[in-house]
Amino acid sequence: VTRYKRDAEQYDVIVQTAITGRSTPEDIERIQLRASKGGVDTMVPLSALVTVRESVSPRELNHFGQRRSATLTANLAPDYSLGEALAFLQQTSDRVLKGGATTDLNGISREFRSSQGALMIVFVLALLFIFLVLAAQFESFVDPLVIMFSVPLSMIGALLALKWSGGSLNVYSQIGLITLVGLITKHGILIVEFTNQLREEGMEMVDALVKASAQRLRPILMTTGAMVLGAIPLALATGAGAETRTQIGWVIVGGMSLGTLLTIFVVPTMYTLFARKAVPGANTAVAVDAPAHPLHPHDYVAK
């Protein structure tokens, strides 16, 4: 009803009846109200104006997004992912709820739905960033394109590993896919870079490609083995929070294993189809026909 100030502190003043006058519902009927009749103030009990009755009502009225709401909380059944549960919820709400009622998500479900679009943008930006960096390194747009052919190959292995392990395409597995983009392109970089170096020394395309693939095979297999063995503990993790680590682990294990196996065959093939026929700066031999009796330097004809 007012505020009370003391020693630079402000306190709210709340008026209430004594404990003996507010312990039972019948005490409400005995509350006195001031009434005026004929210019004379009288006190009237509240029971003369209202009727008190007991009923059932919610203890609190929840709101979400500034609207009256009811919260549904459930656990996932075995062999079902969060995405499938949310799709089922949306289909059921569209069929059951009346007009004017809407649904919204909260907690982990809300983060899952909002992160789907964000991670897709991040995945596209990761591909674009790697392509631009490789284009600047190789000074060409063709060589990075050849290297990027290894990315979809690794994605096939990652998705197969998720299916085989019983995983799903969720936030954690999508993070693993983004990580896999940077890991798998390293194989193509090793092959293409060494092939270009051999071609700059004057070697033919096919010979340079065969030699580069053979000499870079062992580094590729060694780094792949190190990454796969390092990710196996994540894939086989147990205990609290294991569902987050296993998703990333299986993506790396499956993507690097199958991606490497296919990359060592596909990248050289794509290089022969799309690579430049001549490499700038390559050493080329020049044949010169000289006359029998050279008289002047201009008599030499270069082929």
Side-chain angles (χ1 to χ4, degrees), residues 10-32:
Q10 182 172 278
Y11 305 92
D12 292 329
V13 178
I14 301 175
V15 178
Q16 64 182 22
T17 62
I19 297 179
T20 57
R22 53 183 172 90
S23 59
T24 62
E26 290 75 12
D27 293 333
I28 300 176
E29 299 179 350
R30 292 191 289 266
I31 296 177
Q32 300 291 319

Side-chain angles (χ1 to χ4, degrees), residues 64-79:
F64 188 85
Q66 300 180 349
R67 303 183 64 180
R68 290 280 302 276
S69 65
T71 303
L72 299 179
T73 303
N75 295 324
L76 290 176
D79 301 330

Side-chain angles (χ1 to χ4, degrees), residues 191-207:
I191 297 176
V192 174
E193 175 67 19
F194 193 46
T195 302
N196 289 341
Q197 293 178 3
L198 295 178
R199 293 182 64 190
E200 290 176 357
E201 297 175 359
M203 189 175 293
E204 294 294 332
M205 176 190 293
V206 177
D207 296 335

Side-chain angles (χ1 to χ4, degrees), residues 13-210:
V13 178
I14 301 175
V15 178
Q16 64 182 22
T17 62
I19 297 179
T20 57
R22 53 183 172 90
S23 59
T24 62
E26 290 75 12
D27 293 333
I28 300 176
E29 299 179 350
R30 292 191 289 266
I31 296 177
Q32 300 291 319
L33 300 179
R34 187 180 298 276
S36 178
K37 182 177 180 181
V40 179
D41 292 338
T42 58
M43 301 301 292
V44 179
L46 188 59
S47 59
L49 304 175
V50 299
T51 301
V52 179
R53 61 181 179 86
E54 295 185 9
S55 63
V56 178
S57 63
R59 184 177 59 180
E60 57 185 9
L61 299 179
N62 297 318
H63 288 74
F64 188 85
Q66 300 180 349
R67 303 183 64 180
R68 290 280 302 276
S69 65
T71 303
L72 299 179
T73 303
N75 295 324
L76 290 176
D79 301 330
Y80 285 96
S81 63
L82 181 58
E84 294 174 336
L86 294 180
F88 173 78
L89 177 63
Q90 186 64 41
Q91 295 174 359
T92 305
S93 62
D94 294 339
R95 184 180 70 254
V96 174
L97 294 180
K98 299 180 181 179
T102 59
T103 60
D104 203 345
L105 302 176
N106 197 13
I108 299 178
S109 301
R110 189 182 187 91
E111 294 296 331
F112 173 80
R113 183 64 57 84
S114 62
S115 62
Q116 282 185 315
L119 284 176
M120 184 59 64
I121 296 176
V122 172
F123 185 79
V124 175
L125 291 178
L127 293 176
L128 180 61
F129 178 77
I130 293 178
F131 180 82
L132 294 178
V133 171
L134 294 178
Q137 177 182 353
F138 289 96
E139 297 181 353
S140 169
F141 289 107
V142 178
D143 291 342
L145 183 62
V146 174
I147 296 173
M148 297 299 287
F149 273 105
S150 60
V151 175
L153 304 178
S154 63
M155 297 300 157
I156 296 175
L159 296 177
L160 290 177
L162 283 177
K163 183 178 180 180
W164 176 75
S165 62
S168 61
L169 193 61
N170 50 41
V171 176
Y172 304 104
S173 58
Q174 290 177 2
I175 293 175
L177 293 176
I178 296 174
T179 306
L180 192 61
V181 173
L183 296 177
I184 197 64
T185 52
K186 174 184 62 63
H187 302 339
I189 294 174
L190 290 175
I191 297 176
V192 174
E193 175 67 19
F194 193 46
T195 302
N196 289 341
Q197 293 178 3
L198 295 178
R199 293 182 64 190
E200 290 176 357
E201 297 175 359
M203 189 175 293
E204 294 294 332
M205 176 190 293
V206 177
D207 296 335
L209 191 58
V210 172

